């Protein structure tokens, strides 16, 4: 007697993925691991397979569509994700692969600067001083610094200092910047440095004539000086004599 045996061959192929780099500070979701996997030699949709995995590291979630979510605040490190896909139509037809999630962290922290005298101008400390890379203090050579928003009169320098031009009006100036890892250029973070500009201007005075026989007192040297563009109120400043000739006394009220 003769008979026919029908052998149904179906294939599923889970292929190891190129590592994905994620900023653990902000967290992110990486593209689906199904991109290079196939079912019967062609791409498939998530509903064609069942997806399971070995236990994942804290902070990682494998979603049903094959994407992997990395939670904000996940520690830096390399995390292998071993997963298995099986055909829905033929549940015993399965394959396993590994995808690797590289979590790198960069954290740009908002800064509050020491006030800068806008009359002569000056520079702030580096905005990078309190920023971190993989949880450690940031080495400026390990990151690229990009100004995002810098007000007129201010310059964000490559070393992270901010230069304030002379005669910059008093005010609080937000400087928005972005830092990205050199090793992983897609790992970036943004922060704002607030530059407080205050102005004080001591202006040379017209000579005052005092009779030498009787002596006397001049008008206050503070009369033409300004604080933040307004006349100085003596109680708002400290007055220090730097050079006073013999026979003269600079009084606290500026006379």
């Amino acid at each position: 007697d003769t008979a026919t045996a029908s052998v149904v061959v179906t294939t599923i192929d889970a292929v190891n993925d190129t590592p994905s780099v994620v900023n653990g500070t902000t967290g992110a979701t990486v593209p689906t691991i199904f991109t290079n996997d196939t079912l019967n030699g062609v791409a498939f949709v998530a509903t064609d397979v069942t997806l399971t995995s070995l236990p994942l590291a804290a902070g990682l979630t494998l979603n049903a569509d094959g994407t992997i979510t990395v939670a904000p605040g996940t520690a830096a490190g390399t995390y292998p994700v071993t997963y298995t896909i099986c055909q829905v139509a033929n549940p015993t037809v399965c394959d396993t692969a590994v995808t690797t999630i590289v979590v790198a962290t960069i954290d740009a922290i908002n800064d509050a600067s020491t006030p800068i005298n806008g009359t002569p101008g000056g520079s702030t400390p580096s905005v990078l001083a309190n920023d971190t890379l993989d949880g450690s203090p940031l080495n400026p050579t390990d990151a690229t610094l990009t100004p995002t928003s810098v007000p007129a009169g201010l310059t964000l320098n490559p070393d992270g200092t901010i230069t304030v031009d002379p005669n910059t009006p008093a005010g609080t100036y937000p400087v928005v910047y972005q830092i990205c890892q050199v090793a992983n250029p897609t790992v970036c973070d943004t922060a704002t440095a607030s530059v407080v500009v205050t102005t004080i201007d001591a202006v040379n005075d017209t000579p005052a004539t005092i009779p030498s026989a009787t002596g006397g007192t001049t008008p206050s040297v503070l009369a033409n000086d300004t604080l933040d563009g307004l006349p100085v109120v003596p109680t708002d400043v400290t007055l220090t004599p730097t050079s006073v000739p013999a026979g003269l006394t600079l009084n606290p009220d500026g006379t």
Side-chain angles (χ1 to χ4, degrees):
D1 195 14
T2 300
T4 299
S6 297
V7 180
V8 178
V9 177
T10 183
T11 63
I12 194 165
D13 191 12
V15 181
N16 292 342
D17 300 272
T18 302
S20 298
V21 179
V22 175
N23 183 356
T25 302
T26 57
T29 297
V30 303
T32 179
I33 55 180
F34 298 151
T35 302
N36 59 344
D37 299 339
T38 58
L39 189 150
N40 290 330
V42 297
F44 57 84
V45 295
T47 54
D48 291 336
V49 299
T50 57
L51 173 64
T52 57
S53 72
L54 294 180
L56 300 179
L60 273 65
T61 302
L62 178 59
N63 304 307
D65 61 358
T67 59
I68 298 174
T69 300
V70 178
T74 300
T78 300
Y79 299 88
V81 176
T82 302
Y83 69 95
T84 299
I85 49 176
C86 298
Q87 288 190 7
V88 169
N90 301 289
T92 61
V93 177
C94 303
D95 197 22
T96 298
V98 177
T99 187
T100 301
I101 305 298
V102 177
V103 176
T105 64
I106 196 165
D107 194 9
I109 300 173
N110 294 340
D111 301 87
S113 76
T114 301
I116 299 294
N117 185 355
T119 302
S123 292
T124 70
S126 176
V127 297
L128 304 176
N130 61 340
D131 297 338
T132 61
L133 189 151
D134 289 340
S136 299
L138 177 68
N139 183 334
T141 59
D142 291 335
T144 56
L145 173 63
T146 304
T148 301
S149 175
V150 181
L154 278 67
T155 303
L156 178 60
N157 304 308
D159 63 356
T161 59
I162 299 172
T163 299
V164 178
D165 291 344
N167 300 314
T168 298
T172 299
Y173 296 82
V175 175
V176 182
Y177 68 94
Q178 182 186 65
I179 51 175
C180 299
Q181 284 193 2
V182 170
N184 301 294
T186 60
V187 176
C188 303
D189 198 23
T190 300
T192 300
S194 297
V195 180
V196 177
V197 176
T198 185
T199 64
I200 193 165
D201 193 12
V203 181
N204 291 341
D205 299 270
T206 303
T209 302
I210 300 295
S212 61
T214 60
T217 300
T218 71
S220 174
V221 297
L222 303 176
N224 61 343
D225 298 336
T226 60
L227 179 73
D228 290 338
L230 300 175
V232 163
V233 175
T235 55
D236 289 339
V237 299
T238 57
L239 176 62
T240 305
T242 302
S243 175
V244 181
L248 278 66
T249 302
L250 179 59
N251 303 308
D253 63 356
T255 56

